Amino acid sequence: MTATSLDQIISLCKRRGFVFPGSEIYGGLQGIYDYGPLGVELKNNLIAEWWRANVYERDDMEGLDAAILMNRLVWKYSGHEETFNDPLVDCRTCKSRWRADHIHGRCPNCGSTDLTEPRPFNMMFSTQVGPVADSGALAYLRPETAQGIFVNFANVLATTSRKLPFGIAQVGKAFRNEINPRNFLFRVREFEQMEIEYFVMPGTDEAWHQQWLEDRLRWWDSVGVPRERITVYDVPPDELAHYSKRTYDLMYQYPDLGPQEIEGIANRTDYDLGSHSKDQASLNLTARVTPNADSTARLTYFDPERRHHVVPYVIEPSAGVGRGVLAVLCEAYAEEMTRALPAEKLQAVTDALTAFLKSVGRSEKLHPEARDAMLAYGEAIGNHLPERLPEVEPLLAMPGAETIELGKKLRGQAQPLIDEHFRTVLRLRPRLAPVKVAVFPLKRNHDAMVETARRIRRQLQLELGARTVYDDTGAIGKLYRRQDEIGTPWCITVDFDTLGEGKEPALTDTVTVRDRDSMAQERVPIANLPLYLREKLR
Ligand code: GAP
């Protein structure tokens, strides 16, 4: 099972500290999010997996970390100053602003069709470099990391002696002044990209494009986003970006949103290196570029076999980190019944849900859209009880739900059943899990048990080089559930047997290791733990 609604993920992220709205104590800032203690681990782990697969495990890649701020001319010749626009429309009735291609001629806020003609809106954030605010100080926050790679092409080539084909990988922040940021991490104004510019001999570009499509689908599969949940959209010519000859968009099936782009894989031809080169007339470029009188470099590659300079073509797999984190969370998320529900309790909660939905249907306080959304979601839950019982929580968190008095009764009926009979589990690939191992003492007021658990935690931290935690703030069952919910693959419990104080002397110096997915428990000698866990983490 995966997440059935985005609200489940949003609620988990907030509850457990994966993601917070940015600047929340001042009312937030639209389209900006902060990663919390668990989110930063998950995000870093996803990036590390990408870097490992694309840089360390290949023979044809180099890494780069270019600055966010670049000379304004980069954005002039990349084409972004002129073409990085979205069509903006104003609603004349309620004065809201929208992206024309997202709203089908009707204002989503008030329903009016009295809209202005679309006009281009450049999405680059501008700023000023230095203390004097004249036109020479204008700079942009980069809207893609790619340009940092193109303008360093000659530097990387000169310092690494690479031969074609080879690629440069980079992970970093990008900024876009999206007209309507929305859908949580999906469309934001500040985000991270994992980008590869892969330089190939012209003529081999189409084959490499296919190859990268396969490689990237395989990688998403390896981090828990299966191939069958991604459709490949062959972008039609009239939708292509200004630099692209052909682009495949990988469309992940996000809950509520349907198939949406998680990564684009573009054939950028010789457009970018050609655009940033001097002496363009001598380069036999195939792309149409703006004449460049400012560049000081010829961004070419000397082909030793044919003994002439060529401008390489570029294949660009470009993935969003936040969209990746969201997809990984959606795929890993499950709400599972761990024990069957007695029939009378199920009936009581069914009745409470029915009464709540009746009250929603009659409510005059609710906005009609909010009411319909709540009814549809509530009915879907009702049709799939008891499996979807835990979704009562996100249902009651929907806008306006707090105005329905019977919500309290529903929560009162549902919550104890959810607590007793269900668990939320994130079945993350162990390498992505924010916490790899949690260690608990069976009794928190037993000094030797606490000391042993803390020692095991420290030792595993050193041996595994990944986040491990100690926890003694609840009963073991509760601690297991807490770790399940954040995706910790293994929990270790130190008990009386570990200390030689139990009934089984043979278990001295062993601990219980509990597996997140199967919930099976195994007794493992403390001395074997590093090897045991390292094998599993591989
Ligand atoms: N260098 C090519 C490029 O930037 P893009 O399709 O505009 O291409 C690449 O962006 C990826 O960056 C997208 O597939 C998406 O994952 C991510 N992305 C783009 N805009 C985003 C936004 N506003 N919020 C979150 N992620 C975004």
Side-chain angles (χ1 to χ4, degrees), residues 144-263:
E144 60 169 10
T145 68
Q147 296 302 321
I149 298 181
F150 297 128
V151 301
N152 276 294
F153 173 75
N155 288 334
V156 175
L157 199 58
T159 49
T160 62
S161 312
R162 281 286 179 182
K163 303 268 173 288
L164 288 189
F166 77 96
I168 303 177
Q170 173 167 237
V171 181
K173 290 261 176 161
F175 303 82
R176 297 183 188 178
N177 199 1
E178 295 282 352
I179 296 170
N180 288 121
R182 56 189 173 158
N183 297 328
F184 193 43
L185 297 178
F186 183 78
R187 189 174 302 285
V188 288
R189 290 182 167 141
E190 174 178 338
F191 55 99
E192 271 170 288
Q193 291 184 314
M194 306 184 281
E195 296 205 298
I196 294 165
E197 306 303 327
Y198 194 75
F199 302 98
V200 304
M201 207 52 101
T204 65
D205 51 305
E206 289 177 11
W208 276 112
H209 199 191
Q210 297 305 318
Q211 182 62 49
W212 272 107
L213 174 61
E214 282 308 307
D215 287 358
R216 296 303 304 143
L217 285 167
R218 202 168 334 109
W219 183 81
W220 281 113
D221 198 71
S222 78
V223 292
V225 184
R227 242 181 145 96
E228 61 273 16
R229 302 268 296 158
I230 295 179
T231 44
V232 178
Y233 180 58
D234 192 349
V235 179
D238 60 330
E239 288 177 25
L240 288 173
H242 62 277
Y243 48 71
S244 173
K245 163 177 162 184
R246 190 172 188 183
T247 295
Y248 296 123
D249 282 345
L250 308 191
M251 312 288 277
Y252 170 70
Q253 188 75 33
Y254 289 96
D256 299 334
L257 312 182
Q260 297 288 342
E261 180 185 337
I262 188 169
E263 170 161 355

Side-chain angles (χ1 to χ4, degrees), residues 6 20 41 91 94 117 150 166 217-218 225 244 248 294 340 420 447 486 504 520:
L6 216 48
F20 306 123
E41 299 290 345
C91 170
C94 72
E117 280 302 305
F150 297 128
F166 77 96
L217 285 167
R218 202 168 334 109
V225 184
S244 173
Y248 296 123
D294 296 300
E420 246 181 78
D447 290 348
I486 65 168
E504 302 232 30

Side-chain angles (χ1 to χ4, degrees), residues 280-491:
Q280 289 161 321
S282 67
L283 300 180
N284 291 324
L285 294 175
T286 58
R288 205 141 40 85
V289 298
T290 306
N292 191 328
D294 296 300
S295 172
T296 58
R298 206 177 284 109
L299 301 181
T300 57
Y301 168 82
F302 182 70
D303 178 359
E305 275 169 29
R306 290 189 216 134
R307 305 204 58 75
H308 77 150
H309 287 271
V310 290
V311 179
Y313 264 44
V314 177
I315 305 302
E316 178 198 62
S318 170
V321 175
R323 288 187 189 181
V325 165
L326 193 55
V328 160
L329 283 172
C330 291
E331 282 301 314
Y333 188 92
E335 283 169 356
E336 292 177 348
M337 209 162 41
T338 49
R339 282 195 299 142
L341 233 67
E344 70 283 3
K345 289 189 177 170
L346 181 59
Q347 192 55 52
V349 81
T350 307
D351 294 346
L353 177 63
T354 310
F356 170 78
L357 293 177
K358 259 198 200 143
S359 180
V360 168
R362 282 197 300 259
S363 168
E364 282 167 12
K365 286 190 205 146
L366 286 170
H367 189 282
E369 258 181 43
R371 189 189 54 214
D372 291 349
M374 218 181 300
L375 285 176
Y377 191 32
E379 276 159 20
I381 296 171
N383 290 338
H384 294 91
L385 284 177
E387 293 79 17
R388 288 180 68 173
L389 181 62
E391 291 180 57
V392 164
E393 281 176 46
L395 174 72
L396 293 174
M398 287 177 85
E402 71 287 350
T403 64
I404 307 294
E405 197 54 31
L406 283 175
K408 286 193 201 104
K409 179 147 187 233
L410 174 59
R411 180 174 283 117
Q413 290 284 352
Q415 202 56 56
L417 296 184
I418 298 170
D419 290 345
E420 246 181 78
H421 296 266
F422 287 82
R423 70 166 182 162
T424 299
V425 56
L426 278 187
R427 295 185 191 278
L428 294 168
R429 297 287 155 111
R431 281 215 280 237
L432 292 186
V435 174
K436 303 292 186 264
V437 182
V439 189
F440 317 134
L442 185 65
K443 296 252 171 261
R444 70 174 151 191
N445 52 6
H446 190 301
D447 290 348
M449 223 178 261
V450 167
E451 171 46 32
T452 306
R454 286 194 182 276
R455 181 167 46 79
I456 291 173
R457 202 250 2 132
R458 278 195 304 274
Q459 185 201 357
L460 290 178
Q461 180 63 56
L462 286 175
E463 300 267 359
L464 300 178
R467 189 117 164 90
T468 61
V469 298
Y470 168 88
D471 196 0
D472 64 8
T473 57
I476 294 295
K478 195 165 172 198
L479 297 181
Y480 282 157
R481 282 155 151 281
R482 254 194 237 159
Q483 297 297 329
D484 285 346
E485 199 182 37
I486 65 168
T488 305
W490 303 289
C491 290

